[in-house]
Amino acid sequence: MSAYRRAPRRAMTAFWNTVAMLVAIVLGFPIYWMLLTTVKSNKDLIAQHPTFWPSHWDFSSFSSAMDDNFGANLWNTVVITLGSVAISLVVGLLAALAVARFDFRGRKPFIVAILVVQTVPLITILVGLLPVLNSANLIGSLVGLILAYLVFTIPFIIWTLRTYIVGIPVELDEAAMVDGCTKAQAFRRVVLPLLAPGLVSTGVFAWIQAWNEFVMARQIMGPAQNKTAMVWLTFFSSTPSHGSDYSGQMAGALIIAAPVIILFTIFQSRLSTGLTAGAVKG
C-alpha cells in the first residue's frame, strides 16, 4: 500500500522539478543572451538567423565600453550609493528604533506618512525637490544626488527595520538594564547583534535601489560630465559611434549589473534570514 502511495508523490515531485527547471531556463535566458552578446563578433550579431553560441569569441566589446569616461561614472555611482546607503542606515535605524520602542505623540501618523511616501512616484517627488536643490546650488553635484536618494531610501529602511525591532522582545532590553547596562549599552550589546540580518538585508535592498536609480540621476546631474553608470549607459547607447554597438552596450550593462549580482550572491543567506525574521506584525 505504501508503494502505491509513493508512486504519485514521486510523479508529482518529478513534475514540479520539471516545471522549476523550465521556469529557471526562461528566467535565466536573458542573462545568458546578455553574456553571449558581449562575446559575439559583429558577423554573428548582424546575422539573419540568431546563433546561440558564438562562432568566434570577441572580447573587444569590454574595451569599447570602457571608453567615454566609463570608469569615472562608475566610481560616481559607487560613491553616491555608498553615501546614500550609509546615511540612510544610520538615520533609518535610529528612527526605526524610536518608532518601535517609544510611544510619542504623532507616532501613528508618522508611520502612515512613511508608508505613503513609499507609494508616491519618484517623478512626483522630483518636481518639488529640484527647486530646493537648485536654491542650494546642488544641481549637478554628487552631494545633491546623495541627498535626493535619501528621500526614498530612508523611508524604506525605517519601515523595514521597524518590523525587525518589533520582533525583538523588549524584555531583552530590560534584562540587560537590570544587569547594569544603560539604554545605549543594551541597544549596542543586545539589540544591535540581533538586528544584523535585518541591517544586511535592508542595506542590500537599499543599495540596489540607489544603484539602479535613473530618473533622479538624469534630472539632477543634468548635462554635467559627472554621470552615474545608469545615465552613462543611455548616453553610450544613443551616441552615433556606439548606437549600433550592441556588444559594447551589453558589456557595459554587464559590468554595471555585476556588483549587484555579486553582492546579492554573497549575502544570499543573510537576505533570506533577514526577510523571514522581519516578517512579523507590529
Side-chain angles (χ1 to χ4, degrees):
M1 200 63 185
S2 59
Y4 288 105
R5 291 178 179 176
R6 290 198 195 100
R9 292 180 181 177
R10 291 176 180 175
M12 289 301 297
T13 301
F15 170 76
W16 288 115
N17 287 341
T18 304
V19 171
M21 289 295 297
L22 292 175
V23 171
I25 292 173
V26 172
L27 295 178
F29 182 77
I31 300 176
Y32 169 75
W33 194 256
M34 180 175 67
L35 293 172
L36 187 66
T37 305
T38 58
V39 296
K40 274 186 176 182
S41 62
N42 290 329
K43 180 180 178 181
D44 291 335
L45 287 173
I46 63 176
Q48 184 177 3
H49 301 288
T51 56
F52 296 93
W53 192 259
S55 60
H56 174 69
W57 295 81
D58 187 0
F59 295 94
S60 61
S61 59
F62 291 95
S63 60
S64 175
M66 290 296 181
D67 295 337
D68 301 327
N69 298 321
F70 173 75
N73 294 324
L74 185 63
W75 176 248
N76 290 337
T77 306
V78 173
V79 172
I80 292 169
T81 305
L82 283 176
S84 60
V85 172
I87 297 174
S88 299
L89 281 176
V90 174
V91 176
L93 175 59
L94 297 176
L97 182 66
V99 172
R101 283 288 193 262
F102 302 102
D103 189 11
F104 53 89
R105 181 179 298 178
R107 176 175 174 269
K108 290 184 178 180
F110 178 73
I111 296 174
V112 173
I114 293 174
L115 183 60
V116 170
V117 168
Q118 296 183 75
T119 62
V120 176
L122 283 181
I123 191 65
T124 305
I125 299 176
L126 193 60
V127 172
L129 190 60
L130 281 175
V132 176
L133 294 177
N134 187 39
S135 62
N137 294 324
L138 293 176
I139 296 294
S141 67
L142 300 184
V143 176
L145 192 56
I146 291 174
L147 295 177
Y149 281 2
L150 300 181
V151 174
F152 62 86
T153 54
I154 287 181
F156 168 77
I157 289 177
I158 293 175
W159 181 264
T160 308
L161 286 182
R162 171 183 169 272
T163 62
Y164 294 108
I165 298 174
V166 169
I168 299 175
V170 183
E171 289 77 12
L172 295 178
D173 303 34
E174 296 173 349
M177 287 187 287
V178 168
D179 291 338
C181 293
T182 63
K183 286 186 177 181
Q185 291 174 336
F187 171 75
R188 189 180 74 250
R189 298 179 181 179
V190 178
V191 179
L192 194 58
L194 295 175
L195 275 177
L199 288 171
V200 170
S201 60
T202 307
V204 169
F205 283 117
W207 172 285
I208 295 173
Q209 283 184 325
W211 185 272
N212 293 331
E213 202 283 323
F214 171 77
V215 176
M216 282 189 171
R218 177 67 182 88
Q219 296 299 322
I220 293 175
M221 300 308 292
Q225 294 297 322
N226 290 330
K227 303 181 182 69
T228 62
M230 294 298 294
V231 177
W232 168 88
L233 187 59
T234 60
F235 277 89
F236 180 84
S237 304
S238 60
T239 56
S241 57
H242 298 290
S244 58
D245 185 10
Y246 303 114
S247 59
Q249 296 175 24
M250 287 295 183
L254 178 62
I255 296 173
I256 294 172
V260 176
I261 296 174
I262 294 172
L263 192 69
F264 206 88
T265 304
I266 293 174
F267 295 105
Q268 183 180 6
S269 60
R270 288 269 186 178
L271 288 174
S272 58
T273 304
L275 287 174
T276 54
V280 297
K281 183 179 180 181

